[in-house]
Amino acid sequence: MRKLVLKMSMSLDGYVAGPRAESDWMFRAANPDSAAWVLDTVSSAGVHAFGRRSFESIAGFWANATTPVAGAMNTIPKVVFTRQASFDPSTVDVGGANSPAAATWTGARVANGDLASEIERLRADDGADVLAQGGTDFCRSLVTAGLVDEYRLVVLPVVLGSGDGIFSGLQDELDLTLVSSTVFEGGAKADVYRPGR
């Protein structure tokens, strides 16, 4: 059975979205070594899982991108989690792209049933791990429901002071076991944790 891996970038004080709408703070510490880690994480997935709003906001960017990460983002199958029964990925704006890359976004699978049941279906499929990487509400739902098998958290050298986090609203402590920690040249750090079950 494959794992559900949650990849998320966050500030030093634990926020994944700050008080400003812009997310430029996520890229200021980028370096070749951190980019290589992200590429390895993204390309090792068997399927990418997104919440609907995040999916809609990034599909057009990735469908037209040419960076090394874009190859993995555009070729690996996608699943969109949404409560909207009528959601149709083929109507998502892919920035005018008419390509195989765009087709992997507009042809994404939709999961709108019970969250735990949908995740169990994905885990039971053959292939490499499921990688959840956005958005905040979707990832928080995975954390709260105890569905995450591995956390890949990139902690950036910035303090936002307030914002939104994937661990907000937990009813109880979440014990984690550190598997690895990698410090990058730009000051960011990638920590891999597994739940202490």
Side-chain angles (χ1 to χ4, degrees):
M1 184 172 283
R2 57 187 180 177
K3 299 190 304 271
L4 174 66
V5 177
L6 190 156
K7 176 195 154 296
M8 188 63 69
S9 295
M10 60 179 50
S11 66
L12 191 60
D13 49 349
Y15 297 113
V16 300
R20 294 187 300 119
E22 294 81 17
S23 58
D24 57 317
W25 58 272
M26 289 188 174
F27 307 104
R28 291 197 294 255
N31 255 348
D33 57 348
S34 59
W37 186 91
V38 169
L39 177 59
D40 181 62
T41 295
V42 170
S43 37
S44 67
V47 64
H48 294 294
F50 300 97
R52 179 190 53 80
R53 288 189 305 258
S54 179
F55 179 87
E56 289 175 326
S57 71
I58 66 172
F61 171 81
W62 286 113
N64 294 281
T66 57
T67 63
V69 174
M73 290 296 291
N74 289 327
T75 57
I76 294 171
K78 293 147 200 62
V79 179
V80 185
F81 284 77
T82 180
R83 292 185 186 99
Q84 290 185 1
S86 62
F87 176 71
D88 181 358
S90 69
T91 64
V92 172
D93 180 8
V94 288
N98 184 13
S99 65
T104 68
W105 293 90
T106 57
R109 176 179 152 193
V110 176
N112 55 19
D114 172 72
L115 180 62
S117 299
E118 294 283 6
I119 293 297
E120 284 311 309
R121 272 190 216 99
L122 282 176
R123 279 188 179 127
D125 287 346
D126 291 332
D129 293 336
V130 179
L131 182 66
Q133 49 183 325
T136 307
D137 291 341
F138 168 58
C139 291
R140 186 183 305 117
S141 296
L142 296 172
V143 172
T144 302
L147 297 171
V148 179
D149 299 302
E150 183 174 285
Y151 292 87
R152 292 183 171 225
L153 307 175
V154 178
V155 181
L156 301 164
V158 61
V159 174
L160 299 179
S162 64
D164 208 1
I166 59 170
F167 298 112
S168 303
L170 282 176
Q171 298 301 307
D172 203 355
E173 293 90 0
L174 176 62
D175 291 323
L176 301 173
T177 300
L178 182 64
V179 175
S180 68
S181 188
T182 307
V183 177
F184 303 118
E185 288 182 15
K189 180 175 69 156
D191 291 326
V192 179
Y193 292 95
R194 293 195 183 123
R197 297 191 173 144

